[in-house]
Amino acid sequence: MTPDAPASASDGPLVAYRLLAMVALFRAPESGNIIYLTPVFGMVLAVTLLGVNFKIFHGLGIGTVAVGIWLAMFTQKKNIPL
């Protein structure tokens, strides 16, 4: 897969491997949040490789995932005494 070549169905495993290889770049807590991006990666691959039409609910789903990851990573954790 080269940057100037169009994507094809045979590039799917390579793209998925590269996306999941991002886990090695982050610490464990951030790597856990990358797993929540799996539906986003699947939607992007479906639109680019399979020609699926992008709909409004795809955008809403991406936004929901982004807000959830932001809340998980950047909000303060409350220490609740047991």
Side-chain angles (χ1 to χ4, degrees), residues 1-31:
M1 184 169 89
T2 60
D4 56 342
S8 67
S10 63
D11 293 332
L14 179 62
V15 172
Y17 173 76
R18 287 184 179 172
L19 293 174
L20 292 177
M22 291 188 310
V23 172
L25 298 175
F26 301 104
R27 298 180 315 207
E30 289 83 9
S31 297

Side-chain angles (χ1 to χ4, degrees), residues 20-79:
L20 292 177
M22 291 188 310
V23 172
L25 298 175
F26 301 104
R27 298 180 315 207
E30 289 83 9
S31 297
N33 290 327
I34 290 175
I35 297 301
Y36 299 126
L37 291 173
T38 304
V40 176
F41 296 152
M43 188 276 311
V44 170
L45 289 172
V47 169
T48 57
L49 299 178
L50 301 176
V52 173
N53 292 329
F54 187 83
K55 303 282 185 178
I56 189 70
F57 58 84
H58 292 115
L60 292 173
I62 291 172
T64 302
V65 168
V67 168
I69 291 174
W70 183 82
L71 287 172
M73 292 182 68
F74 298 112
T75 57
Q76 287 188 342
K77 314 274 189 290
K78 295 181 181 178
N79 291 329

